[in-house]
C-alpha cells in the first residue's frame, strides 16, 4: 500500500519568512495530493491540492509542487503570518480519487513574531 | 450548507466498555470515511463507505470495530470492547463522487479509554 513520509516534524520560522514542508510517497499510481491544515482543537481543512497531471499550483501565498518522477511534493507558504501556525498534513490517494487518504505524520509550523 | 458533524465530541470510557460514535456527512455526499489519529501520530484511514456499502475496510484495526451506514446517510462506529490503545481522535469525512476529490472533515470525537 501507499506510504507517505513528511518532513520536518516541526518547523519554526520568523513572521514574514517562507516555510517549506516536504513529502514523499511510495505508490507510483497515486494521482491526488491534498494538503490539510489543522489548528488546535479544530477539524483538518483542505488548503490546497494537486493532481498528478500538474506540476505546480498556486493560491495566493500558498503553492504546491509535484515531482512525479521523484515521487515527492512540497508545500510552500510565503510571507508567513501568525495565523499560519498550525499542524500541516500532506496526503496521497491512488486510484480513482475517492479512496481513503494516506497521510504523512504532520508538520507543526510555528510562526515566531 | 452544514458541514460534517460528529457526536459526541468527547467520550471517556473504561477498558472493556462499549462506545458508539456517530457521523453525519454533508447532505448528498455518497462517500463517507472514518479516520483515527492516535496522539502524536499520523491520521490513519479506517474505512470507506460508498452510500451504504463498505468500499474499503482495510484500515480497521480488528474485529472489535464495527462500522455501519444505515440507508447511506449517517454512519456509526462501534468499539466493543474498548482497549487502552483505542484512545485517540476519530475523524469522519465525506465527499461527493465526480465533483472533486476533496474530503470534508468533521470536528472529530476524542475517545479516551482508561
Amino acid at each position: 500500500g501507499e506510504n507517505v513520509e513528511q518532513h520536518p516534524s516541526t518547523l519554526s520560522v520568523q513572521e514574514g519568512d517562507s516555510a517549506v514542508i516536504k513529502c514523499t510517497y511510495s505508490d507510483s499510481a497515486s494521482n491526488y495530493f491534498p494538503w490539510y491544515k489543522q489548528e488546535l482543537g479544530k477539524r483538518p481543512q483542505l488548503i490546497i491540492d494537486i493532481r498528478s497531471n500538474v506540476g505546480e499550483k498556486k493560491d495566493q501565498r500558498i503553492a504546491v509542487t509535484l515531482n512525479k518522477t521523484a515521487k515527492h511534493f512540497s508545500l510552500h507558504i510565503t510571507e508567513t503570518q501568525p495565523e499560519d501556525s498550525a499542524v500541516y498534513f500532506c496526503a496521497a490517494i491512488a486510484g480513482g480519487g475517492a479512496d481513503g487518504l494516506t497521510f504523512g505524520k504532520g508538520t507543526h509550523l510555528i510562526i515566531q513574531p | 450548507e452544514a458541514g460534517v458533524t460528529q457526536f459526541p465530541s468527547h467520550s471517556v470510557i473504561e477498558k472493556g466498555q462499549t462506545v458508539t460514535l456517530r457521523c453525519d456527512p454533508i447532505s448528498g455526499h455518497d462517500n463517507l470515511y472514518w479516520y483515527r489519529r492516535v496522539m502524536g501520530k499520523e491520521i490513519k484511514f479506517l474505512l470507506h463507505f460508498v452510500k451504504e456499502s463498505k468500499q474499503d475496510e482495510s484500515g480497521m484495526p480488528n474485529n472489535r470495530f464495527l462500522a455501519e451506514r444505515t440507508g447511506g446517510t449517517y454512519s456509526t462506529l462501534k468499539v466493543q470492547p474498548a482497549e487502552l490503545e483505542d484512545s485517540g481522535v476519530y475523524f469522519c469525512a465525506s465527499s461527493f463522487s465526480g465533483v472533486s476529490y476533496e474530503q470534508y472533515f468533521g470536528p472529530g470525537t476524542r475517545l479516551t479509554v482508561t
Side-chain angles (χ1 to χ4, degrees):
Chain A
E2 176 66 281
N3 182 51
V4 176
E5 299 285 340
Q6 182 172 348
H7 299 279
S9 57
T10 304
L11 178 60
S12 181
V13 301
Q14 290 290 323
E15 182 179 349
D17 288 350
S18 296
V20 180
I21 301 170
K22 298 182 179 182
C23 290
T24 60
Y25 61 98
S26 61
D27 189 345
S28 56
S30 289
N31 57 6
Y32 175 65
F33 307 92
W35 285 87
Y36 282 83
K37 174 184 180 182
Q38 187 180 19
E39 297 177 71
L40 189 62
K42 296 190 176 180
R43 69 189 71 198
Q45 290 203 300
L46 181 75
I47 56 171
I48 195 165
D49 56 10
I50 192 167
R51 299 195 187 186
S52 58
N53 58 348
V54 175
E56 183 175 0
K57 184 176 178 180
K58 190 173 181 181
D59 182 4
Q60 299 183 334
R61 296 187 297 109
I62 295 172
V64 57
T65 58
L66 171 65
N67 183 327
K68 285 175 56 180
T69 303
K71 289 191 280 191
H72 67 70
F73 56 113
S74 300
L75 177 71
H76 304 252
I77 306 174
T78 58
E79 300 172 18
T80 53
Q81 300 170 3
E83 55 265 34
D84 294 330
S85 293
V87 179
Y88 291 79
F89 293 95
C90 63
I93 290 182
D99 295 342
L101 293 163
T102 299
F103 282 91
K105 291 189 176 181
T107 295
H108 186 194
L109 177 61
I110 302 165
I111 307 301
Q112 303 277 8
Chain B
E1 174 182 277
V4 177
T5 57
Q6 292 185 244
F7 183 83
S9 57
H10 294 85
S11 180
V12 180
I13 61 171
E14 293 183 354
K15 176 182 173 180
Q17 290 186 321
T18 297
V19 63
T20 300
L21 313 181
R22 174 170 170 144
C23 168
D24 286 81
I26 292 172
S27 178
H29 280 193
D30 50 344
N31 295 294
L32 187 149
Y33 310 83
W34 283 99
Y35 296 89
R36 176 174 72 175
R37 188 180 188 204
V38 174
M39 179 69 74
K41 297 194 174 182
E42 70 268 39
I43 302 170
K44 294 202 86 169
F45 167 77
L46 297 178
L47 89 159
H48 169 207
F49 284 99
V50 178
K51 297 182 181 177
E52 68 275 7
S53 300
K54 291 177 185 173
Q55 179 74 14
D56 179 1
E57 51 184 332
S58 60
M60 294 288 262
N62 51 60
N63 59 10
R64 295 185 294 102
F65 288 74
L66 175 64
E68 295 180 324
R69 189 179 183 194
T70 307
T73 55
Y74 71 92
S75 175
T76 58
L77 180 65
K78 180 191 288 187
V79 185
Q80 179 182 30
E83 298 288 344
L84 298 179
E85 63 265 25
D86 300 332
S87 295
V89 180
Y90 290 77
F91 290 104
C92 174
S94 70
S95 72
F96 183 58
S97 294
V99 176
S100 79
Y101 296 170
E102 179 174 359
Q103 295 184 20
Y104 295 82
F105 278 73
T109 293
R110 180 173 296 278
L111 174 64
T112 302
V113 183
T114 62

